[in-house]
Amino acid sequence: MARRSLFQPVGGYPISSPGLMEAPVLDLMCSHFVLTLAARQGAAFNVRRDFSGVVGLAGRHLVWRGTQDEATLFFFLG
C-alpha cells in the first residue's frame, strides 16, 4: 500500500479529494504518470487546450488548498 500524507500548506488548509485515501495504488500511479508527462511538456503544454484534460484525469487524486474557491474545485472534480 502506498504511503500517503497530508501537509499543512502555507496560506491555507489541505482539502483532500473524496475517495483519495481509498483510491487504488494503480489509479494514483496513473495520475502521477499523467502529471509527469504534462510537466515534461514544458512550453509545448497548451494550457487552454490541455489543462481540462489533465485535471479531468488526475484531479480526483490531488490535494487542494483550502483557500481554493469551492465552486471551482467541484467544477474540476465533477
Side-chain angles (χ1 to χ4, degrees):
M1 186 55 125
R3 183 176 180 171
R4 300 177 187 100
S5 63
L6 297 176
F7 60 93
Q8 185 69 22
V10 177
Y13 53 92
I15 298 176
S16 63
S17 299
L20 175 66
M21 295 300 174
E22 294 83 26
V25 175
L26 185 59
D27 285 355
L28 296 173
M29 290 173 61
C30 290
S31 293
H32 186 269
F33 178 70
V34 167
L35 292 171
T36 302
L37 287 178
R40 291 189 182 196
Q41 289 291 315
F45 183 77
N46 187 339
V47 176
R48 288 185 184 173
R49 182 187 66 212
D50 301 330
F51 185 71
S52 63
V54 169
V55 172
L57 290 171
R60 63 183 154 207
H61 299 130
L62 297 176
V63 175
W64 301 83
R65 285 192 5 201
T67 56
Q68 230 9 310
D69 181 22
E70 287 187 20
T72 305
L73 176 66
F74 291 117
F75 172 77
F76 284 124
L77 295 178

